[in-house]
Each structure stands twice: as structure tokens, then as C-alpha cells.
DNA sequence: ATAAAAATTTAGACTCACCTAAATTTTTAT
DNA sequence: ATAAAAATTTAGGTGAGTCTAAATTTTTAT
């Protein structure tokens, strides 16, 4: 039903709206799609005609229930393919995003549900992002940011909120991947950088900018 | 480089030309692509400009070396994905073709080579069709047709030359899949139908039309 | 050899997803 | 409150890949 371009818009609106909560502006979409605002307007009118978004001129756009369903399907496919590539094909977590951007548009539900089973029904992708269920529900994964943890606490890394390959490569080098056990040894007041103990290795420094993009939960 | 539509034309020209040997007519392409001859002409001009085919007006079309390379890559991807779906995801051999038609256009070479390794470098797909190598060579698999075997001979089923789902389903029911050991018990002169022993089961009849589309090799 | 039939190409048009330039609406700053 | 700035939409246009109808070339049959 939805074309490749339409699927990409719906997915993007979902992400930019904070999981469908807020309105998204034409300009924000133009920036992310690497197109012009006028092109976005054209597409929004088309999506509105298909009842995939609520759109009023000059007022921004929100997903309809139907649009959100499509968006979540696309996100589900994307994240399952990422798990496949990392767990089965041996890709690194910083390599899989662009390939998943293509694979996510293969529509067969049978394929995706069998892939899901083959992967043992993973609940999150290699970056810790939750995988929408076959029924179209996004599991709520509410984690803290590492930058908010106080000195002396021990936490488990659960994911990232920044997906740039360079950031992910940096984290891998530091041994900071989902599942890593992290103790906050010290926090520097002047720049909020942190000294961490990661698993059983020696101490590492991370900047506030890095800590802000690492999602954690407190260890039990 | 080559768009989805272009890849489909190149793959089709490869198949219709008998692996690149003969010229293919505009009408043959129009029939198979479910488009009109005029549309095919447009596309052939474009492919010729890109040096993917040799094309002279009214004279039919042949792949260039470059075009054949692209065609073989697409066929390689298609067949590897079919192996994946059957061997890893548990699809039946009559279900995978349409999904592979989509997956074959995911271009990442890294993805395909890792998939190839994950599948243990298969040499043929679930229908017995050979898988082009990463280097772009089509392994020559020269088999006999079952209809040409004489009574009393034992052969091994190697593949099919007809891929319709209904045909494949019929074969599955009869236990005729690549690897099956088949003995020709009797051949009826009047309609050339055959009585077969398939693996260790009781005898089965197949029509000439079926036997003509089954590829075999003689058992050693 | 030539006329009819078949195959193919040309001409002109359509949709999709994008573009630029100009017009309009909303927001911001004074 | 209003003018300037920013955001957005409208108008008109593009290339990819398709279409129909008409023109042209090749093939077939007599």
C-alpha cells in the first residue's frame, strides 16, 4: 500500500514526534529527508488523503492510528534485520543501519515473523532500541541517561540515543555496549565528564556529551 | 548504479537469451515485464546508453559484459535469499520466489557475501538452480531431463526447469525434490508418462509434461 | 516480388517524488 | 501593534518509468 517514500516519511514522523506524541513541522521533515519544504508539503497532502496523517496547512502533522501502525511495522522490520545482521552475519553494530534502511521496505509479513522466530523473538536491536511487536505495540523501554547517574552507583548499559557510526565505534572501543556493567567512579564538576569502570577493565573517561547519549538502568 | 527497473530488465534479458547467448526481442520483454513494447524500447535505449546492453533498433538486444555482470549479481542475490528462506526460516520451496524478487535488489555486497558464508557457500538454490559466484561466474549445471531417461535406470533429482508454485507443490507431494533418488520403472509409449519409484516409497505416475521439467543426473 | 501482417519505434502524455521561485501565513521582536 | 523574519504553501517544472496511438520497419505469405 504505502510506497517506499511514504514509509520513510511515516517512520520519520514517528521518530521526530517523540513516538507519535507531538506535531512535526514541515521544515524538520525537509531537513531529515534531505529534501525541500515544498516537497514535504506535497507528500503530507498525499499522506493526509490516504488517512495516514492528520494534516492542517501551516499546523504541522501527526500520525493517524493507521499511519502509526505502518510506521511501527517499518521500525519493526528495520530492527529485526539489524539483529539478524549482527547476531547471525557477524556485522558490527555501527555497520548495519544503512543496510537495514533498505531491508525495512521488504513488506512480506510472513518473512518478518519467521525472521523474528529465527532470532528467538528479540526485544531490542543491537543499539538497545525496543522492537515493536507483530501486533504493532512498541515496548516501552524507559531508561535513565548515564549523565544523570551519581558517583558511586553501578548501572547496566541498555542502549544509546545517538546512532552515528563514529559514536558507536567509540563506544565499542571503550567496551561500552548494551549489557556492559558500569560503575561511576568520579564526576568532574566543571565539565560533567565521568570516570567509569566498565565491566572488569581499568577506568575510562567519558565526556558529558557521550554520557548524555548512553541509556542505562540501575543494577539490582 | 542500476535502478530496480534496470536490474529487472537485465536479469530478464539474461534468462530470455539463454544465459546471454541469443538476442532477445522487444515483445518477449514486454510480455514478461507486463509492460508495453513501447516502454521496453525506452528502457533498452537507456540501458544501451549506460553500456549495459548492445541494442540496434529493430534488431533485438544482448547483454554487454557489464550488463551480464549486473544480471548475475542480481541472480546471485535472489538465489542466496531463497536458500536462506528455505534452510533457515523454514519456508517451502514454492513460497520463496516472490519475496526473493524484492530481496534481490538490496545491493550491499558485504551483506550478500556474509549471507553466502552464513549459508555455507551453497552452490544451488532450493530449486536446483546454480548460484553465481561472488566473482560473477555462473556454475554450469548441465543435467538431463527426466523424460529422456529409459526404463530401468536410477537417477538423482537435481532441480526443475519450471518454477510455478503449483508445479512445485505437486512435486513436493510426490516426494520429488532435489536429492530424491528416482528409478524409472515403466514408460508408457502412447503418452510418454512414467511410473517411478521415488526414494523408498511406493510407485508414482508422472506425465510427460512433468518429467520434461525435472532435471536429473544419473546415479553413480 | 510485393502486399498484408507482425514487430518495433516515435510522439506525446501521465504519475510519482522531487525541484525552484514566488506568494502567503505565522511567529518574533520591537 | 506592527514590521521584519521565518516557516509554509502554491505554481509551475523535471526525470524515471510507464502508457496509448500513430508511424515505420521487418517478416511472412502468396
Amino acid at each position: 500500500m504505502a510506497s517506499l517514500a511514504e514509509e520513510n516519511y511515516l517512520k520519520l514522523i514517528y521518530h521526530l514526534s517523540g513516538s507519535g506524541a507531538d506535531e512535526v513541522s514541515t521544515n524538520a521533515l525537509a531537513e531529515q529527508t534531505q529534501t525541500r519544504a515544498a516537497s514535504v508539503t506535497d507528500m503530507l497532502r498525499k499522506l493526509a488523503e490516504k488517512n495516514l496523517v492528520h494534516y492542517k496547512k501551516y499546523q504541522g502533522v501527526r500520525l493517524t492510528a493507521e499511519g502509526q501502525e505502518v510506521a511501527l511495522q517499518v521500525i519493526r522490520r528495520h530492527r529485526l534485520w539489524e539483529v539478524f545482521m549482527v547476531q547471525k552475519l557477524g556485522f558490527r553494530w555501527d555497520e548495519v543501519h544503512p543496510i537495514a534502511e533498505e531491508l525495512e521496505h521488504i513488506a512480506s509479513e510472513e518473512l518478518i515473523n519467521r525472521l523474528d522466530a529465527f532470532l528467538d523473538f528479540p526485544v531490542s536491536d543491537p543499539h538497545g532500541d525496543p522492537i515493536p511487536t507483530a501486533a504493532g505495540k512498541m515496548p516501552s523501554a524507559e531508561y535513565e541517561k548515564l549523565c544523570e547517574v551519581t558517583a558511586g552507583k553501578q548501572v547496566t548499559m541498555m542502549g544509546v540515543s545517538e546512532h552515528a557510526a563514529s559514536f558507536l565505534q567509540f563506544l565499542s572501543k571503550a567496551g561500552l555496549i548494551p549489557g556492559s556493567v558500569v560503575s561511576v567512579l568520579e564526576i568532574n564538576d566543571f565539565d560533567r565528564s565521568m570516570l567509569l569502570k566498565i565491566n572488569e577493565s581499568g577506568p575510562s573517561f567519558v565526556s558529558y556529551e557521550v554520557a548524555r547519549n548512553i541509556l542505562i538502568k540501575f543494577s539490582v
Side-chain angles (χ1 to χ4, degrees), chain A:
Chain A
M1 290 292 123
S3 72
L4 189 147
E6 287 167 1
E7 284 192 349
N8 280 332
Y9 270 90
L10 294 171
K11 181 184 57 157
L12 186 59
I13 293 168
Y14 181 88
H15 288 313
L16 290 181
S17 67
S19 306
D22 314 324
E23 246 111 48
V24 179
S25 75
T26 301
N27 264 5
L29 289 166
E31 194 183 323
Q32 293 290 314
T33 53
Q34 309 255 63
T35 63
R36 301 307 178 141
S39 311
V40 173
T41 299
D42 286 348
M43 180 57 92
L44 294 185
R45 290 182 66 251
K46 202 209 300 185
L47 292 172
E49 242 158 57
K50 290 190 170 192
N51 265 299
L52 295 165
V53 299
H54 297 293
Y55 171 59
K56 283 208 196 93
K57 288 203 292 188
Y58 298 102
Q59 312 288 278
V61 73
R62 261 178 334 108
L63 294 177
T64 61
E66 201 183 332
Q68 183 163 90
E69 196 184 309
V70 175
L72 286 175
Q73 272 174 27
V74 176
I75 294 167
R76 171 173 159 81
R77 295 180 212 138
H78 182 106
R79 293 182 178 170
L80 283 172
W81 283 117
E82 287 197 342
V83 173
F84 170 68
M85 285 188 274
V86 168
Q87 288 193 0
K88 302 293 183 180
L89 301 189
F91 276 98
R92 295 191 316 265
W93 71 337
D94 59 282
E95 297 176 312
V96 292
H97 182 77
I99 307 177
E101 289 285 304
E102 298 187 55
L103 286 163
E104 74 188 7
H105 300 292
I106 309 289
S108 166
E109 233 181 281
E110 179 82 0
L111 174 67
I112 287 306
N113 291 336
R114 281 178 184 269
L115 180 66
D116 193 17
F118 179 61
L119 299 171
D120 275 325
F121 305 103
V123 298
S124 58
D125 77 11
H127 314 101
D129 297 312
I131 297 176
T133 64
K137 285 260 177 275
M138 176 70 90
S140 74
E142 291 185 0
Y143 299 124
E144 314 294 320
K145 298 176 182 174
L146 177 59
C147 64
E148 281 158 7
V149 176
T150 54
K153 288 279 182 358
Q154 190 183 73
V155 301
T156 302
M157 158 124 177
M158 300 306 289
V160 293
S161 51
E162 160 65 51
H163 296 70
S166 59
F167 177 62
L168 300 176
Q169 285 158 20
F170 168 80
L171 293 185
S172 300
K173 258 182 223 156
L176 267 170
I177 57 172
S180 299
V181 174
V182 176
S183 299
V184 178
L185 303 178
E186 293 175 26
I187 302 177
N188 291 311
D189 278 352
F190 66 101
D191 68 352
R192 294 191 278 185
S193 67
M194 288 175 152
L195 187 63
L196 306 176
K197 181 170 175 56
I198 300 166
N199 293 323
E200 299 314 313
S201 341
S204 326
F205 262 108
V206 298
S207 67
Y208 175 72
E209 184 59 18
V210 164
R212 208 168 53 81
N213 286 298
I214 293 176
L215 303 174
I216 59 93
K217 72 166 190 219
F218 288 91
S219 305
V220 260

